Every structure is written in C-alpha cells, then in structure tokens.
Amino acid sequence: MRVYLAVFALLAAVQCEELFNGDQVLRIHVESEDHIQALKELEEDVDSVLDFWTHGFSTERPIDIRVPHTSLSAVKDFLKKNNVPFTVMINNVQELLDRETAEMVSNAKMERSTKSFNFAAYHDLETLYSFMDTLVASHPNLITKVHIGNSYENRPMYALKFSTGGVSRPAIWVDAGIHSREWVTQASAAWIANQIASNYGVDPSVTSLLGQMDIYLMIVTNPDGYVFTHTDNRMWRKTRSVNSGSSCRGVDPNRNWDAGFGGPGASKDPCSESYHGPYANSEVEVKNVVDLIMGHGNFKSFISIHSYSQLLMYPYGYTCTDIPDKSELHSVGTAAIKELTSLYNTIYQVGSICKIIYQASGGSIDWTYNIGIKYSFAFELRDTGYYGFLLPANQIIPTAEETWLGLKYIMEYVRNHPY
Amino acid sequence: MASTGDLEPTHYPARRAAQVALHYLNTHHGSPFRVFGLQQVHKASAEDVEAGGRKYKLDFSVTDWASGSAGPALRCSADVLFPRTERHSAPDVKLRCEALQQINRTAQEEEAFYQKHITPDSAVSARDIPDSYGNMSEEMQPFWRLARVAASFIMLRESSENTEFNMAQVASVTQQESSEEQLMLEFVVLLHDLPSQEIVQWKLLASWSPDRGVRVLQTEWQPRCPHATKPPN
C-alpha cells in the first residue's frame, strides 16, 4: 500500500500537481447480496472513476475504494440510498501523501546526516551534540537524550539512554571524555553510540541485551574542558571551575569522587593536573553523574573510558588492596581484552588501577564499586605513548571497533550475571 | 611500598623501569628514521642496593616505532639503577639488545635527509607536530623522530621510579645554522608524565648527522602559565 501511495506521490511531485486533493478512501462493510449488487453497479459506472483498492466482492471482508473528490457526494448518496454501510478511512488522500513524503524526505536527510557524520574525524562540541540529536531522531523508539544537568560554564550535559521500555531496568553506564584532552574517547563513543543503534534488531546479542537492560552512554562528560581543548589548550585535562585563592582553574574530575578522597595519588595544589578539588563532588560535572546514578538506583555496571595506555582496569585506584571481587573482575577483563585484541592485534593489559598504572584517589570506578556496582571498569584506549593524546584521526574507527568488542563482552557478561 | 624480588611484568614498577631503558636505547640508537618503543616486559625483578638505590633487572622486547607495530621485535635485557639521593640524579642504565646491528639499516634515508637539510638555505621551521588532530606531514616525520630522540635525553635524565614520560607533542622546531657539519635544531617539546598527568615543557638544542647521531647540547625547562593557555614563545 505504502509503495503504491509512494509511487503516486512521486508521479505527483514530478508533475508538480496535487492529484488527490480532497479524495477520500471509503471502507464498505458488505453485509448482503444486495450490497454486493450495488457495488457491482458502482464498479460498472465508468464515469465515476472509482479506484477499487480491494478486488472481488464478498461479505467476508470490507472493500476499500478511493473516491475522487468530484465524485464523492454522488457515491455517498448512492451508498446511502442502497443502505450500504461505509466509513471514511482516509479523509484526504493528498494530505496523507504529503505527510508521508515529508517523512521520507526527512528520513533520507537524517540518514544522510548520520551517514554523513564523519566518524573518522575529531569534531567540536556543537557537532557532537548535533550528531546526538540526529541519532536520537532516527531511532526514536530506542534512544532518548537525557539532560543530566549543566557544566560549570553552564553547558548542558547529555547522556544517550538506550532503552526498549520497562521502568528503571537494570542499567549499564558508559562515559567518555571526562578528561577532555583524551579526544579518541569522545570520538569512539560517538561511533559506539551509532553502532549500538544500528545493531539493535540486527545483532542478536545487542538485541537481547537491550531487551533486558538499559544503556546510558555519555559521549562528552566534560564539555567545558572539551571546548577549551579546541579554543585554547589542546592538553587541557580538568574541568574549568574557578579555584578560590588561585589563578589556576580546574579540578581533575577523576580525583573528585567520594572514594578515598584527598588520599595519595591526587594533588591539593589547584595548579596541578590531578588537583582533587576542595571536597568530594565539588565539581558539578561529577555531582550530576552521581545524582543520576543514585537517583536511578539500578545500575549494574559502570565503565569509564580514558586514553592513553591500552589498559583495562578495575578498582581500586585509591589503595592497592585487592577488592573482594578481584578474581571475577580480572577474568572478565582478561576475556574482554581477548575480544578486543582479536580485531587488530592491539595489546592491552588488565589489572587494578593502583597496580597497573598508579595509585590514584577519588576515582569514579572506586566510588561506583563501593556503592555496590560490582562491574566497574576503566579503559585506557590507544596508544601507548607514540602519539599519546594526539592520536591520528585515521585510528579513531579501528580504536572504536576494537573497544566495542571489549565493551560488548563486558555488557553481555553483566546481562548474563544478574545480581 | 615497592616489593623486592620478582615483579609483575605488566604492572607499573616494571614498566616504568623498562621505559627508562627505552629512553637510553633511543639516545644511543635513535635517528630521524628510527625510534624504539616498548612492546612487552617479559620478566622483571628489583632489589635495594647499598647507598640507598634500587636496581631493576629487566627482560623485555622493543619494536621500531618508525616501521609500525608490524615491525619485528628485538629482545633486550637491562639493569636500571635508580639512585636514592637527596637531590634527583639520573638513573643509570646498562643495556643489551640482541641483533641491534641486524635491524633494517636506514642509512639511505638518513643520508638523503641529511643532504637535503645541511645546505645553507635549508631553514626548517614548524609548530605543533603533530597538530591537535594527530596530523603530521610526511616531511615532518623525521623531525618529529629527531625531537623524540632528543627528548629521550631529557626523559632519561629526569626519570625516577615515580615518573613515566612520553613526548606529547613537538611545540616547535626551528633549524639553526649548521655547525661542524651537524644539523642544528632547536626544539620546544611537551613531555607528558603519566603518574602526575603533568605536561612539562622543555626547550632544547640538538645536533645530528648520520655519523655522529643525536647529541643534545642545551636544555632549558620552561614554566607554563598558570592559566595554562598556549605555551610562551
């Protein structure tokens, strides 16, 4: 039916004519032989230019007829006179056609713009935000944009929520770009968002995952910092909050969480890249995420994406003491990394933050683990120091592709191990 | 906090010591067409030594970053001694790599590069290598590698058990007048220290020729503005 209408719309558009304005589609409820006779009479009357959408008359099913505007009153009178019951199914065929065409045009445009979003390039904040809107608009039944609050400089912070329904389903959190100079993370997260959206309904694993759980994906977790890396200083890491009594701005958002806050592995100097801030959750960017996680109450996994070093880590960072679940998380991590490496042979190491990279207090995954989100992990993506933060754009997609395999493994594991 | 005896090869104490050995390797064998990177630590151990230092024994593999990660790996072993003196002093490295002489010689490229830029009218000058987007022109690659090798002198000297340096970016390269048949290059480099996450800026003067390799003649630490905008010129 749709194709039929579409073809007509196309022809109409081509001829720049509104062919069906005022036309209606009537649904005839045939109840007796007399009704069938009446319809046959109508059919034989060639002058009425009736367009029967259903062929063959029987009392078993309704008969649909498109009636041109000019013949409407005559046909309705005839049907009434013969006591043939009918309903108006389409009130104005042209109107429906116009709406359909507009929808197709808009879909094509959206498809072009998500297809035309260059995943193999680094983009500014505005472009990333616009990409998010496009993605949401082209997957309205799967993705919503959640405004979790604003940054220090009042920029909106958005998480993409992938959900097929339910109320407060068990959920997985993924964030990227909490450290703004780690550009491959925001870029990979955009690719991954698109990947999840495209995989839903196609990939059985992703489809089953989203049938039971929600995914929250935050592509730009530190928007102020990200803008600053574009406008002023490519190496900016922290937030852009003003520190009282200091000319140095910013707090390390991954030293600001309430887990071993202020302990070793964070600095009390506002000028330091690892300054922990005046108190835990002092940074609004951190507070917004904390509030969302606490308010939701049903997150089962929290994964934070950083670069660089090629590591997959689990808690703790604030102490080198092993977590109770060390064995399990280490083997999940090891298996996830096996998937990641299988694609391009990129070597990753697995271990706790404190042992594998450095002791660091006030980190996000330590806090999430301590409030009971068992499957808390942090990635450090490519590379191992050759380009470091300045990873060439031609490595974005390979990085995103391999990371996705590791991430997917973890998500599937979380789905299969409810707690 | 540090343990004596065998170390976990994938954990940071072993890795940091191996990176120090890498810096040493690059100062001796790096060139515009060769920079080595750490592939993997196989075995590591550490022990405290008299006079309060700590010595790491390492067994690791390196690859030539210039030929991409697909390049062959070289097996190396090293002793890295971090002195524990009141004022920081450079670590001491003893290094052996197998088949160093047998790796692909880049003599031809080095000679061509040397001849092109030793001429009096060569006056290379560039900023931000790579740029913010990771772009680096083919022409700039040998200069980036030279900067990386020269920076290795600084990274080696400044390293301790509490640092892990990489070169984050070449802020600028300015060719100086050649001297004694050496290419003379002034670099400003940004170094990244992983544990502190600090970006440290150094200005340095380096010389190079195919015969003499890389020498660093002057280094100058540059303070960064507290509001941390673009580095001072």
Side-chain angles (χ1 to χ4, degrees), chain A residues 68-80:
Chain A
H69 184 225
T70 43
S71 309
L72 256 181
S73 31
V75 168
K76 283 178 176 173
D77 283 346
F78 177 85
L79 291 171
K80 284 179 190 149

Side-chain angles (χ1 to χ4, degrees), chain A residues 8-17 101:
Chain A
F8 264 95
L10 197 61
L11 289 174
V14 161
Q15 294 178 46
C16 296
E17 252 180 74
T101 311

Side-chain angles (χ1 to χ4, degrees), chain B residues 4 9 89 97 104 120 126 141 146 153 169 176 189 193 199 201 223:
Chain B
T4 303
S89 46
C97 289
N104 270 339
Q141 298 219 12
L146 270 176
F153 284 82
Q169 189 181 39
Q176 310 292 301
V189 296
D193 171 45
I199 303 288
Q201 188 168 301

